[in-house]
Amino acid sequence: MKNGKGASVLIIDDEPEIRDIVQIFLNNEGYEVMEAEDGAAGLELLRKKEFDLIILDVMMPKLDGIQACMQIRQTRNTPIIMLSAKNEDIDKILGLTSGADDYLSKPFNPLELVARVKSQLRRVRMSETQDKRQPLELSIGDLVLNIPRHQVTIKGKDISLTPLEFDILELLATHRGHVFSVDKIYETIWKDPALQSDKTVMVHIRNLREKLKDNPREPKYIKTVWGVGYKID
């Protein structure tokens, strides 16, 4: 994983003007950028080349961003920032549930997108550095986190998590008994100030619980402290 100059970014968007302006801003920051005009073309590029980050539009012909994201997540943990002309909460939730790490509504300020690209690359780089420094395995009942492998099992059965879901689970698991607010989770995991972060974090917590089969009414792992945040005892 590269961070900053030399990191490679794939833009998948059917609007040429969007691709062009994003490429200009990312090139100015030293990123290597490639473009695809739809989801199918993007998946074809991904079969040929590794990328450090993917910017993925939702509404596209042939293969939309939601379907493309789900297919990417079958084989890759590459950070994905999803773009959409829609600004409804349900669309953001759908995008994040499909496996995206972040979501930005159109029209957007290119500088904000650049900031989010940097944030995602920084998060992955810091996670990789931490993994090398702390080769740990954590157990919470029958749930086991192998941190260097980014692997989660329950009763020996592998549980497939996105990188962000794993990072949130690791944060709570390595600070057992400590209650983290939504803002604190966002600032710690996304490495950015918490601005309107509540929906983003809540969607990832919900996805985590579903994959862990952790009933929020009678949680075995992630507990809600109402009005405060989340914790693992």
Side-chain angles (χ1 to χ4, degrees):
M1 159 60 71
K2 297 178 181 178
N3 186 46
K5 293 185 182 300
S8 58
V9 178
L10 174 61
I11 307 168
I12 307 175
D13 196 303
D14 63 327
E15 298 181 67
E17 61 274 16
I18 294 290
R19 298 199 306 268
D20 289 347
I21 192 68
V22 171
Q23 180 165 24
I24 289 170
F25 274 81
L26 291 179
N27 283 158
N28 286 341
E29 294 292 329
Y31 297 108
E32 174 192 339
V33 180
M34 294 188 70
E35 301 180 16
E37 68 275 11
D38 57 53
L43 291 178
E44 184 61 30
L45 270 176
L46 284 165
R47 294 186 188 100
K48 301 175 181 176
K49 179 177 171 57
E50 293 287 338
F51 292 89
D52 294 309
L53 183 138
I54 300 166
I55 297 172
L56 180 62
D57 185 35
V58 172
M59 302 298 291
M60 293 185 293
K62 295 186 180 179
L63 187 70
D64 67 33
I66 299 296
Q67 294 173 308
C69 186
M70 294 174 69
Q71 290 192 36
I72 292 168
R73 279 290 172 253
Q74 291 177 9
T75 58
R76 296 171 186 264
N77 287 329
T78 309
I80 296 174
I81 299 175
M82 193 160 277
L83 305 177
S84 177
K86 299 181 179 181
N87 194 28
E88 298 295 328
D89 284 345
I90 188 63
D91 298 306
K92 181 174 184 178
I93 291 171
L94 184 59
L96 295 173
T97 301
S98 70
D101 298 285
D102 203 353
Y103 185 102
L104 192 59
S105 298
K106 296 180 178 178
F108 56 85
N109 185 331
L111 291 175
E112 181 180 358
L113 178 59
V114 169
R116 296 197 184 199
V117 168
K118 290 181 177 179
S119 174
Q120 288 298 323
L121 293 174
R122 184 168 60 249
R123 176 185 62 81
V124 175
R125 178 178 58 81
M126 292 179 70
S127 177
E128 290 175 347
T129 301
Q130 185 176 25
D131 289 347
K132 294 175 183 177
R133 191 172 62 246
Q134 297 180 343
L136 302 176
E137 188 170 274
L138 302 174
S139 297
I140 307 160
D142 50 15
L143 183 150
V144 177
L145 283 80
N146 186 307
I147 294 178
R149 294 182 181 178
H150 269 229
Q151 182 182 49
V152 176
T153 60
I154 294 180
K155 296 182 178 179
K157 181 180 179 181
D158 286 338
I159 306 297
S160 178
L161 302 183
T162 68
L164 273 174
E165 289 166 358
F166 184 92
D167 288 346
I168 293 171
L169 184 60
E170 180 188 353
L171 174 68
L172 297 176
T174 53
H175 298 82
R176 294 176 69 166
H178 182 87
V179 182
F180 284 86
S181 68
V182 167
D183 286 352
K184 186 61 178 178
I185 292 174
Y186 190 89
E187 290 168 356
T188 303
I189 301 301
W190 276 260
K191 316 298 181 187
D192 266 344
L195 302 173
Q196 298 180 335
S197 60
D198 54 336
K199 289 288 193 302
T200 299
V201 172
M202 289 169 65
V203 169
H204 285 291
I205 292 287
R206 189 187 70 179
N207 291 344
L208 253 178
R209 282 172 162 164
E210 288 180 356
K211 292 181 178 181
L212 300 177
K213 294 181 170 54
D214 196 20
N215 184 346
R217 294 184 179 180
E218 298 179 2
K220 293 174 61 179
Y221 310 118
I222 302 172
K223 297 183 178 180
T224 300
V225 180
W226 295 107
V228 183
Y230 302 96
K231 69 172 181 176
I232 290 179
D233 285 329

